[in-house]
Amino acid sequence: MSDIEGLRQAIGDRSARIAVVGLGYVGIPVAASFAAAGFDVVGVDPNRARVDTLGRGALPLATSEPGLEALLQAAMSAGRFRATTEASAIAGREVAILAVDTPIDERHRPDARQLQTACRTVADRIGRPSVVVVESTVAPRTMRDIVAPLFGEGVFLVHCPERVRPGRLLRNLRGMSRLVGVADPQVGVLGTELYRNVVQAELVVTDWETAEVIKTAENATRDVQIALANQLALICDHVGVDVRKVREQINRLWSDQPLILDPGPGVGGHCLPKDPWLLVSAVPPGAATALIEGARMLNEAMPAHVADIVVRACADAGIGPRDATVAVLGLTYEANSDDERNAPGPRVASTLETRGVRVTTHDPFVTRGGLDEAVRGTDVAVLVVPHAKYREADWSALGGGMRHRVVVDCRRGLDADVLRTLGFSYYALGVAALR
Ligand code: SAJ
């Protein structure tokens, strides 16, 4: 029997033993799902605190994840999942899934060190023949140039980039189609049969490079689209028109999918701020990558644009920046989530501070104090994240405690008419805020 046939059989009858390396947003749902499908799974992560939390059947994640804790606990009671810091647990296993972080450095270049370390750890211990899957998002050619040279004969390499979003890890893992990137179509069959156990959507076999480019381009596409929306908002702020009306009319031309996304105070999260850089790193310096790089820079500049609007709003109220106190509302990267990774709120706050403004911050999912406390005595409240709690707040009472009643709404998350009736000066991103 060929090596591939033997592995197919072990996957088919679930006797293949799986090691998941990297127990974070990607590794935990993957490990729990394979264990729930009947595989023996060990999770390996050098972070002792994380492993201990998992050992207690709890999730070391900042977001709440429907169904995941229950799945994990069931897998543990069935004896099919355990977490450890010991790399020796990988020894002799038939499958390893790598889900480690693949960040960028300060020069926006891919930093593959965690991936290389994980590959070496696995290569030294995994059984032969075996399947090694890289779920981490990687720069194009990483599988060929960095991963493959670390593994010898008998290890079949698959790039199956994750597509999960925090807050819906299990739902995305099960329901989103996946790429199975391979160097040899026979290995594609192996990868497909493995992931069929946890993915209910389509599994598309392709080559390594195509999978790498699709995954990074997916997030670069979204980043460029958001940058276009942000660019239009910025232009509208200067021209004196409402970007929402502009957007509405343009989107009417394309009825199924909106062409122009929502402008906002910046792009946060774990993926969009880095994946476009992973994609452009694949071409030599000097190649024409200005669109993607420019989009990144434009999105990164949005907190400064918001600060310009706030300073203008202060000036309109007769206050200089050094005499102003501003409440920044929203420190997560998405509405109604507690995920703070790369959130624009803290950057809006620090940019205002560099301009001499005193700043208070608040987030219902992050900070301890109440909203009334955060806005009391301030001149401007800046809505950075449209948490439902902000819309539902009693703005009449909040305004009563403010020194000036000014709101800068970066996400159209508040009711402008209600606020105006309550005596607020209402500014919104992308609606003539700098005219
Ligand atoms: N944003 C805007 N305007 C918009 C849409 C989003 O300003 O119209 C901002 C959000 O406020 C947020 C940021 O962009 O700060 C990113 O949010 P997101 O919802 O676009 O993306 P993520 O980071 O939560 O997840 C992305 C996902 N990609 C898409 O939604 C197209 C997900 O599918 C990927 O799996 C994930 O990255 C990943 O792990 O790569």
Side-chain angles (χ1 to χ4, degrees):
M1 191 177 10
S2 77
D3 283 354
I4 290 189
E5 212 30 61
L7 283 168
R8 274 185 75 179
Q9 242 177 49
I11 288 167
D13 64 21
R14 294 173 179 152
S15 61
R17 292 157 307 150
I18 301 177
V20 174
V21 180
L23 296 171
Y25 282 84
V26 175
I28 295 171
V30 166
S33 299
F34 274 107
F39 290 89
D40 174 285
V41 181
V42 67
V44 182
D45 194 298
N47 184 320
R48 153 89 33 217
R50 187 171 293 197
V51 164
D52 287 349
T53 307
L54 283 166
R56 291 194 302 273
L59 297 175
L61 302 175
T63 46
S64 49
E65 296 297 339
L68 185 52
E69 200 166 84
L71 197 71
L72 179 80
Q73 289 168 357
M76 288 169 78
S77 350
R80 282 203 291 267
F81 174 75
R82 72 187 170 92
T84 176
T85 56
E86 296 298 327
S88 56
I90 302 164
R93 290 198 170 238
E94 290 78 21
V95 177
I97 298 173
L98 278 59
V100 295
D101 199 11
T102 44
I104 49 169
D105 65 17
E106 57 294 332
R107 288 166 47 241
H108 303 133
R109 304 283 310 163
D111 174 355
R113 283 175 300 178
Q114 288 183 56
L115 181 65
Q116 283 169 303
T117 305
C119 286
R120 287 196 188 97
T121 304
V122 170
D124 288 349
R125 295 167 177 84
I126 195 156
R128 306 285 192 278
S130 51
V131 190
V132 171
V133 183
V134 175
E135 280 224 16
S136 311
T137 302
V138 296
R141 293 198 63 87
T142 300
M143 289 300 291
R144 193 168 301 279
D145 296 344
I146 296 180
V147 175
L150 296 172
F151 291 92
E153 288 289 294
V155 176
F156 301 106
L157 294 172
V158 180
H159 180 38
C160 185
E162 57 88 9
R163 271 180 168 157
V164 292
R165 295 172 77 183
R168 54 208 103 162
L169 297 178
L170 270 188
R171 177 147 62 98
N172 287 169
L173 173 57
R174 288 180 184 142
M176 307 265 299
S177 68
R178 293 288 286 273
L179 302 161
V180 179
V182 290
D184 163 357
Q186 271 191 297
V187 181
V189 176
L190 209 54
T192 308
E193 288 180 4
L194 179 64
Y195 272 76
R196 185 47 68 224
N197 286 287
V198 294
V199 174
Q200 282 154 17
E202 201 184 349
L203 294 162
V204 180
V205 176
T206 183
D207 58 90
W208 286 336
E209 282 76 20
T210 303
E212 291 166 332
V213 171
I214 291 174
K215 171 61 211 246
T216 48
E218 199 163 279
N219 282 342
T221 302
R222 191 157 171 85
D223 200 47
V224 169
Q225 283 179 320
I226 298 169
L228 175 61
N230 285 339
Q231 179 100 82
L232 293 177
L234 198 139
I235 291 168
C236 289
D237 275 335
H238 286 280
V239 175
V241 299
D242 185 347
V243 71
R244 212 199 242 176
K245 288 190 188 142
V246 171
R247 194 179 163 235
E248 238 168 57
Q249 292 309 315
I250 297 175
N251 285 347
R252 274 176 66 176
L253 300 176
W254 283 268
S255 48
D256 46 347
Q257 272 287 321
L259 196 65
I260 311 285
L261 297 183
D262 261 334
V267 168
H270 187 56
C271 305
L272 267 61
K274 77 174 172 76
D275 291 354
W277 291 116
L278 294 181
L279 177 61
V280 299
S281 75
V283 298
T289 52
L291 177 64
I292 291 173
E293 293 190 24
R296 244 341 17 256
M297 285 181 223
L298 197 137
N299 288 336
E300 287 289 304
M302 288 311 284
H305 180 64
V306 171
D308 287 343
I309 298 173
V310 173
V311 169
R312 164 63 68 87
C314 290
D316 290 350
I319 327 156
R322 297 195 168 275
D323 299 317
T325 307
V326 171
V328 170
L329 308 182
L331 302 172
T332 62
Y333 91 87
E334 270 200 312
N336 309 316
S337 141
D338 45 11
D339 195 330
E340 297 172 66
R341 293 177 296 171
N342 296 311
R347 275 181 286 157
V348 169
S350 60
T351 311
L352 285 168
E353 277 166 352
T354 60
R355 298 188 193 182
V357 175
R358 267 191 309 278
V359 176
T360 66
T361 54
H362 175 270
D363 190 296
F365 297 92
V366 179
T367 53
R368 289 232 180 96
L371 178 57
D372 47 348
E373 206 182 302
V375 299
R376 193 175 304 135
T378 62
D379 301 294
V380 182
V382 190
L383 184 94
V384 176
V385 183
H387 291 311
K389 288 209 166 122
Y390 290 140
R391 197 179 175 89
E392 292 154 8
D394 178 353
W395 282 91
S396 169
L398 292 174
M402 291 175 74
R403 197 157 67 134
H404 289 89
R405 291 189 180 206
V406 182
V407 159
V408 173
D409 186 347
C410 303
R411 295 309 303 237
R412 308 289 171 103
L414 301 173
D415 190 324
D417 294 335
V418 169
L419 286 171
R420 287 198 188 99
T421 319
L422 294 171
F424 278 88
S425 300
Y426 175 85
Y427 296 76
L429 176 73
V431 54
L434 293 177
R435 278 293 282 181

